[in-house]
Amino acid sequence: MRCAIAVDVGATNLRLATFTGKELKDRVSFKLQGSVNPLNYIIGYLEKFSKSCNYIGIASAGPMNLKKATVTLINYNNLTINYLDSLKGYGKVYITNDCIAGILAEKKFGEAKWAENAVYLTFSSGIGAGVMVDGHILIGKDGNAHEVGHIVLNYEDSIECGCGKTGHWEAFCGGKSMPKFFQKTTGKIVNSPEEIFKLYYDGNQKAAEFIEKCMNINAAGLASIINVYDPEVIVLSGSVYLHNEELFLKKLPQLTKKYVMNRMPAIKTATLREDAVIVGAGILAFLNGKLP
């Protein structure tokens, strides 16, 4: 039976598993901090499993250059990795963006099964998307056609995104950026989005005003996706979303309608939830890297 090794290199966590085509096995995960190189953990896992699973699918946070097979990990001091060179000898390696893996998985097993036009959108450490239009996944010249978190929503604001530019959607509402935006907006120092949402649920007025502001920003970003790609369904995931799912689903669709020109799509939670990306990495390996 064919087996693949699935790798999800996120902005905060590294997750690895073997994938049978239907299910994940031998799962492990690591918290990535500072200058930790995820390759060390990946190679350790491959040493154990690559003899029985010699197809490797890697879904990574970007940006990437698919022609050079490199990925730059912004959250790890702009570490650039060439996975093909680094993992030579362990099997056939295929790489893609983490959100492209997400739409692959939801198309095969989840909420996008029925759709030819779908977007997988994650609210996590950052904001990203995998986009399918007319049954084809959008890639772009370097593999970055889906970087919706870097849509410019306020060209006058000086708040800096993790990529170093300003005015981006992710600079306001990405999980890593929210504390900085919260401090700028309210004057209060917090260390994580979890603290902000706890203040909100505890009835803090400043937090309530801030979350309302963020939801309007998210709605503007979501509307931009709908107006540009015209999807039938948008599948939502990511840690910030999944930990506040009820709040997002209550506020986001209604707020988005203010900005939308195209017909509203269905807005759903990812069936695979936090497993969408790693399952998609496994599917990528089974497809021999050939995206629909």
Side-chain angles (χ1 to χ4, degrees):
M1 179 184 292
R2 184 172 176 179
C3 168
I5 292 173
V7 183
D8 170 10
V9 185
T12 307
N13 296 292
L14 170 68
R15 305 171 72 217
L16 304 103
T18 57
F19 181 65
T20 66
K22 292 185 178 179
E23 62 178 328
L24 299 168
K25 296 182 177 181
D26 309 306
R27 299 165 67 129
V28 296
S29 63
F30 303 94
K31 183 76 74 175
L32 297 176
Q33 296 176 330
S35 59
V36 171
N37 190 331
L39 272 175
N40 298 333
Y41 297 112
I42 295 171
I43 289 172
Y45 191 86
L46 294 180
E47 291 282 355
K48 186 174 181 180
F49 291 104
S50 64
K51 288 182 181 177
S52 56
C53 297
N54 57 2
Y55 293 86
I56 304 160
I58 299 175
S60 179
M64 55 182 52
N65 186 322
L66 288 180
K67 290 179 182 176
K68 295 181 179 179
T70 60
V71 176
T72 300
L73 301 175
I74 293 172
N75 288 305
Y76 309 120
N77 299 322
N78 288 315
L79 174 69
T80 297
I81 298 175
N82 185 314
Y83 286 109
L84 297 188
D85 286 348
S86 301
L87 303 179
K88 194 174 291 183
Y90 289 102
K92 192 69 176 173
V93 179
Y94 305 100
I95 63 171
T96 194
N97 175 269
D98 51 358
C99 291
I100 286 181
I103 192 63
L104 269 179
E106 286 294 316
K107 174 64 177 172
K108 186 169 180 64
F109 295 117
E111 292 290 350
K113 253 185 180 181
W114 56 275
E116 291 295 296
N117 299 278
V119 174
Y120 171 90
L121 177 63
T122 179
F123 294 94
S124 192
S125 298
I127 296 171
V131 180
M132 175 178 283
V133 176
D134 296 333
H136 300 289
I137 290 177
L138 301 186
I139 304 298
K141 69 183 189 309
D142 293 322
N144 301 308
H146 41 263
E147 291 285 357
V148 300
H150 303 284
I151 291 172
V152 177
L153 293 182
N154 187 341
Y155 71 90
E156 292 182 322
D157 201 292
S158 61
I159 193 164
E160 192 172 284
C161 182
C163 71
K165 307 300 181 181
T166 57
H168 293 182
W169 181 5
E170 187 174 303
F172 304 110
C173 300
K176 287 215 167 190
S177 300
M178 282 181 74
K180 183 168 57 176
F181 186 39
F182 185 78
Q183 183 179 353
K184 181 178 179 180
T185 304
T186 68
K188 182 176 176 61
I189 296 174
V190 295
N191 296 310
S192 68
E194 289 82 5
E195 286 185 52
I196 298 170
F197 282 102
K198 185 177 187 308
L199 287 168
Y200 170 81
Y201 293 125
D202 287 345
N204 181 278
Q205 183 60 34
K206 285 188 175 181
E209 292 170 2
F210 176 80
I211 291 298
E212 191 67 22
K213 187 180 186 74
C214 271
M215 286 297 170
N216 271 284
I217 293 170
N218 286 334
L222 191 63
S224 297
I225 290 171
I226 295 167
N227 291 338
V228 171
Y229 298 123
D230 196 19
E232 297 157 271
V233 60
I234 294 179
V235 182
L236 301 179
S237 192
S239 58
V240 172
Y241 170 77
L242 291 172
H243 289 136
N244 303 282
E245 180 181 351
E246 185 177 343
L247 175 63
F248 270 78
L249 289 178
K250 178 182 177 182
K251 288 184 173 290
L252 206 49
Q254 283 302 118
L255 291 170
T256 300
K257 288 177 182 177
K258 295 190 299 182
Y259 308 112
V260 166
M261 177 195 72
N262 287 330
R263 180 164 53 88
M264 278 289 290
I267 297 177
K268 301 287 187 179
T269 298
T271 301
L272 297 170
R273 299 183 75 82
E274 67 275 3
D275 282 343
V277 171
I278 194 168
V279 169
I283 293 170
L284 178 73
F286 269 71
L287 292 173
N288 297 318
K290 296 177 182 176
L291 296 171

